[in-house]
């Protein structure tokens, strides 16, 4: 009987055995830290410096999230990652009618500079690297952060961190957009321009494949659509007259890590090689502007509500894939996140998983330890070839913005998500504890519950803020934002001034809604 063919999750056929004949296309001379960076962006990788161990956290009020940050920093976290609630993500203050039922639920509610002060109470911004998962309102949250850094007396040249700021994947996969694509792209290039001058260590965008993968894409699609979006941002910045060797160094990426250890590792290697070529072809001459530096988060969509402790094993595999693939920064999910926001215990186990891989597994002792594996090198080439095919299709359509407007990227992701779900339902894809090896379970995992009363707390804070500010100055600041939105001048300086004078997130977002409109 003929053996059934095996494939990766991207549909790449896996041979029974790989030999040196499968390596014909490879150059043995590639070294880590050198173009095209397939083997890593640093010559010594983790022997020189471990990846930044982050834990993504933010829930309820700024006070509650601040407590979690201090706990994580005490446990050995090296960088903070902030999750914002939905109203904050789509530009509504907590007292807006659209915010009801959502305040503080999937992240922290940040309405004003005062919330930002509370969020980082007792934390010197010069001493931490902060990543903020925020897109449509990324420029406002960055302004809060800069205003707070100035209040702390920090040197802005030393402030390090990242805002996600990747609006294209919102239209394609996630949905927390506000303005239409063209004004959104303009805001992003304003951030590039302002930061390259005033906040030089800040990563101005984290071009995100994570949510593309969470929406159901394959590993190949994750690479292709993410890099195609990256090309669109580079093109927009070049059209604004920005220097690719300057802004190119501040572009970062954000990828997902799933369970297929070898495909995921090969995916990261292929993405680095492809991005180096894209940037070189776009005119970059500084090697640092050609390096794909990336943060990884373990796969939220791979977590199961059934037998949740099994998720610890899944997260461990995904951590290994990210580290073997050369990530610069990593967040590991809590085992309970298919059920609720992570409890303190789950967050600690997730961090310990990274620390065990770093200090006990031996995988950090040499650079790119899977290099030269017949299978991994072959898989890296196959992922690269298939991803280029998709990028070429997008280029023919006129790039990512056009491909999104035509629904191409959304349709491709939807088709993959459907195929994957069908495989689970017909048992051709085994998910342990879900469609095989089930047990009768009683739900006794402790859950983190967020109380609806948080909205009342936030509303009270907003009322207090508004009665303690200069209304004339607020009107003046909002008018300045409106004027610059119309004139095309850089928005960042006037938005920073507005938040310093206690304008709220919702007021600033609304001012721009009145000029740019909303994307439907």
């Amino acid at each position: 009987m003929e053996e059934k063919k095996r494939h990766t999750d991207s549909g790449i056929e896996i041979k029974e055995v790989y030999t040196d004949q499968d390596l014909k296309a490879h150059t043995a001379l590639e070294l880590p830290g050198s173009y095209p960076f397939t083997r890593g962006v640093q010559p010594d990788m983790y022997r020189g410096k471990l990846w930044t161990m982050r834990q993504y956290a933010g829930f309820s009020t700024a006070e509650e999230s601040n407590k979690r940050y201090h706990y994580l920093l005490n446990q050995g976290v090296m960088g903070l990652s902030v999750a914002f609630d939905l109203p904050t993500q789509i530009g509504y203050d907590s007292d807006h009618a659209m915010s009801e039922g959502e305040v503080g639920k999937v992240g922290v509610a940040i309405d004003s500079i005062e919330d930002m002060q509370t969020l980082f109470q007792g934390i010197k911004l010069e001493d931490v690297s902060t990543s903020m998962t925020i897109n449509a309102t990324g420029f406002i949250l960055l302004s809060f952060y800069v205003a707070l850094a100035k209040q702390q007396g920090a040197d802005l040249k030393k402030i390090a961190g990242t805002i996600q700021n990747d609006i294209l994947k919102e239209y394609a996969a996630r949905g927390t957009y506000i303005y239409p694509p063209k004004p959104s792209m303009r805001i992003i290039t304003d951030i590039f321009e302002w930061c390259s001058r005033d906040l030089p260590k800040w990563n101005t965008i984290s071009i995100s494949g994570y949510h593309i993968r969470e929406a159901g894409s394959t590993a190949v699609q994750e690479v292709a659509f993410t890099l195609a979006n990256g090309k669109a941002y580079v093109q927009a910045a070049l059209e604004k007259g920005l220097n690719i060797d300057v802004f190119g160094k501040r572009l970062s990426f954000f990828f997902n890590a799933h369970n297929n250890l070898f495909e995921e590792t090969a995916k990261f290697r292929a993405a680095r090689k492809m991005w180096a070529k894209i940037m070189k072809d776009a005119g970059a001459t500084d090697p640092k502007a050609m390096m794909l530096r990336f943060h990884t988060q373990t796969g939220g969509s791979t977590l199961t509500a059934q037998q949740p402790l099994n998720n610890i094993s899944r997260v461990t595999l995904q951590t290994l894939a990210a580290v073997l693939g050369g990530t610069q920064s990593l967040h590991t999910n809590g085992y309970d996140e298919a059920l609720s926001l992570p409890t303190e215990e789950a967050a600690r186990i997730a961090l310990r998983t990274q620390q065990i891989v770093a200090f006990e597994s031996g995988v950090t002792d040499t650079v790119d330890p899977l290099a030269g594996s017949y299978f991994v090198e072959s898989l890296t080439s196959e992922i690269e070839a298939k991803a280029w095919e998709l990028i070429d299709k997008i280029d023919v359509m006129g790039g990512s913005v056009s491909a999104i407007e035509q629904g191409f990227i959304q349709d491709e992701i939807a088709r993959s998500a459907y195929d994957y779900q069908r495989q689970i339902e017909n048992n051709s894809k085994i998910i342990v504890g879900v469609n095989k090896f089930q047990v009768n379970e009683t739900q006794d995992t402790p859950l983190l519950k967020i109380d609806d009363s948080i909205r009342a707390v936030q509303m009270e804070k907003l009322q207090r803020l508004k009665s303690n500010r200069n209304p004339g100055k607020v009107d003046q600041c909002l008018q300045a934002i409106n004027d610059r939105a119309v004139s095309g001048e850089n928005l960042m300086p006037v938005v920073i001034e507005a938040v310093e004078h206690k304008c709220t997130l919702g007021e600033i977002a609304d001012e721009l809604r009145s000029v740019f409109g909303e994307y439907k």
Side-chain angles (χ1 to χ4, degrees), residues 374-393:
Y374 302 144
F375 179 40
V376 171
E377 295 292 2
S378 189
L379 206 45
T380 301
S381 291
E382 291 221 43
I383 288 171
E384 185 191 353
K386 286 186 181 301
W388 280 128
E389 280 172 29
L390 276 172
I391 289 175
D392 290 344
K393 278 186 189 173

Side-chain angles (χ1 to χ4, degrees), residues 218-267:
T218 64
V220 165
Q221 288 170 334
E222 182 187 355
V223 171
F225 299 154
T226 307
L227 299 191
N229 287 349
K231 280 179 79 171
Y233 294 123
V234 168
Q235 194 53 44
L238 290 171
E239 283 166 11
K240 200 179 178 94
L242 302 184
N243 181 341
I244 192 168
D245 283 328
V246 176
F247 76 77
K249 292 178 199 169
R250 304 275 40 113
L251 305 176
S252 66
F253 288 80
F254 174 26
F255 287 113
N256 209 312
H258 272 223
N259 296 329
N260 191 319
L261 182 69
F262 297 112
E263 180 171 48
E264 294 300 295
T265 303
K267 172 188 84 178

